[in-house]
Amino acid sequence: MKTFFTGSHTFPAFSCSGCEAQWNGYAKLSIIVPLVFKPQQSPVCIVITDSNGTIEFVNPKFTELTGYTAEEAIGQNPRILKSGNTPEKNHKELWIAITSGKTWEGELHNKSKDGRLFWGHAVISPLRDTTGKITHYLAVKENVTEKKNIMEQLVVAKEQAEDATRAKSDFLATMSHEIRTPMNGIIGITEMLRDSSLTDVQRGYTEMIQRSGDSLLTLVNDILDFSKIESGKMELEQEPLDLALCLEEALDLVAVQAAAKHIARAYAIDAS
């Protein structure tokens, strides 16, 4: 049986059960061998343990991330990296998976030698000799701490944005209620006043007051529509528009101010 070497350590030829096809012999270790023989070129942590979980090999990236040198790590169990923040059931599921010949993939919250916490995304597979017996376990770990931090920040930002949207909607609902209540009173009194004995000029003034009140009430409803748009509840309606009447009512709203400033009011509609 062929063997390969990593420094003073000798490993039997093996295959990875996590791959689609079983690897047999030294010639098919095209993925594992570069990681082991050229560890300085690997951007991820490489850890190889025996079948009992005792560390037999680590690459320089492991030392860079964890603070443990190869001499300190070899002979230890990967439990030296446990922070206590990963649920114990996750470790049990991991061990059950790889000892039964399956590949385990997931995230572990680990602790470095100096106590610094970090997140690692790990893929751990059993390694077999030519007889199919599991002899070692290969762990490939990537530091995803920064990615996790960014995701957590995005989640917090999303929650804050949702809170702000809810607060704005609540404010608009409260404001509309506070404005609509007195406006409805003004409009109601104006309607009663219009139906009383008034001169034509007085009736015109009351109608102007009523239109102004209706316009303000419509504006309040339009403001509320913004919150409906954000929540996807806005419904559009098609209604006929009398453009001339719309312009006349708009000009009437500023009639008093225009007269005080001696400004003439007029509009023209193109026949086409």
Side-chain angles (χ1 to χ4, degrees):
M1 180 174 65
K2 294 180 180 180
T3 59
F4 72 96
F5 302 85
T6 60
S8 60
H9 298 277
T10 302
F11 293 88
F14 49 73
S15 60
C16 176
S17 64
C19 301
E20 294 180 1
Q22 293 293 313
W23 298 339
N24 293 302
Y26 181 83
K28 294 186 179 180
L29 295 174
S30 57
I31 294 179
I32 302 300
V33 171
L35 294 175
V36 176
F37 281 99
K38 298 181 180 180
Q40 69 279 6
Q41 298 180 10
S42 176
V44 293
C45 294
I46 307 297
V47 180
I48 297 178
T49 73
D50 63 16
S51 58
N52 295 318
T54 302
I55 298 174
E56 294 192 354
F57 173 83
V58 296
N59 71 337
K61 192 69 177 179
F62 173 89
T63 299
E64 178 184 329
L65 178 60
T66 69
Y68 290 99
T69 64
E71 291 75 15
E72 292 173 325
I74 292 173
Q76 299 287 338
N77 187 285
R79 284 193 296 269
I80 61 175
L81 300 177
K82 288 179 65 174
S83 65
N85 295 329
T86 301
E88 191 59 34
K89 68 180 184 67
N90 291 19
H91 293 288
K92 291 181 179 179
E93 291 172 356
L94 183 162
W95 187 248
I96 291 173
I98 61 177
T99 54
S100 62
K102 300 177 182 178
T103 293
W104 182 89
E105 181 174 359
E107 292 183 347
L108 299 171
H109 201 193
N110 292 332
K111 182 171 67 174
S112 65
K113 181 180 177 181
D114 61 6
R116 176 177 48 84
L117 298 176
F118 65 92
W119 283 95
H121 180 271
V123 178
I124 305 175
S125 299
L127 305 177
R128 304 175 185 272
D129 60 18
T130 54
T131 67
K133 179 183 177 181
I134 295 177
T135 60
H136 296 82
Y137 298 107
L138 171 68
V140 179
K141 302 180 180 180
E142 178 187 6
N143 182 9
V144 294
T145 305
E146 184 175 354
K147 293 180 182 178
K148 293 280 290 186
N149 291 338
I150 292 174
M151 288 303 298
E152 289 176 359
Q153 292 172 9
L154 289 175
V155 170
V156 171
K158 179 176 178 293
E159 292 175 349
Q160 291 176 342
E162 291 174 346
D163 290 342
T165 299
R166 283 192 293 269
K168 181 176 65 176
S169 297
D170 292 342
F171 168 75
L172 290 176
T174 301
M175 182 191 72
S176 68
H177 175 74
E178 295 298 329
I179 294 178
R180 272 199 262 190
T181 299
M183 279 307 306
N184 284 327
I186 293 172
I187 293 172
I189 293 298
T190 303
E191 289 178 350
M192 294 174 62
L193 181 62
R194 187 188 60 183
D195 294 336
S196 63
S197 300
L198 298 174
T199 65
D200 291 341
V201 174
Q202 290 172 331
R203 192 176 305 281
Y205 287 155
T206 57
E207 289 176 353
M208 189 180 301
I209 293 172
Q210 185 175 9
R211 285 196 298 270
S212 297
D214 290 337
S215 297
L216 182 56
L217 202 55
T218 299
L219 178 61
V220 171
N221 291 331
D222 289 342
I223 293 174
L224 285 177
D225 285 340
F226 282 109
S227 61
K228 292 182 180 179
I229 292 173
E230 291 177 344
S231 61
K233 297 179 180 179
M234 180 67 178
E235 295 182 2
L236 299 179
E237 297 179 358
Q238 288 186 344
E239 295 184 357
L241 172 67
D242 187 334
L243 183 58
L245 178 60
C246 182
L247 291 173
E248 287 176 3
E249 291 181 348
L251 291 175
D252 285 344
L253 293 177
V254 295
V256 176
Q257 295 91 331
K261 296 180 180 180
H262 307 289
I263 298 175
R265 296 171 296 122
Y267 71 88
I269 300 176
D270 192 333
S272 61

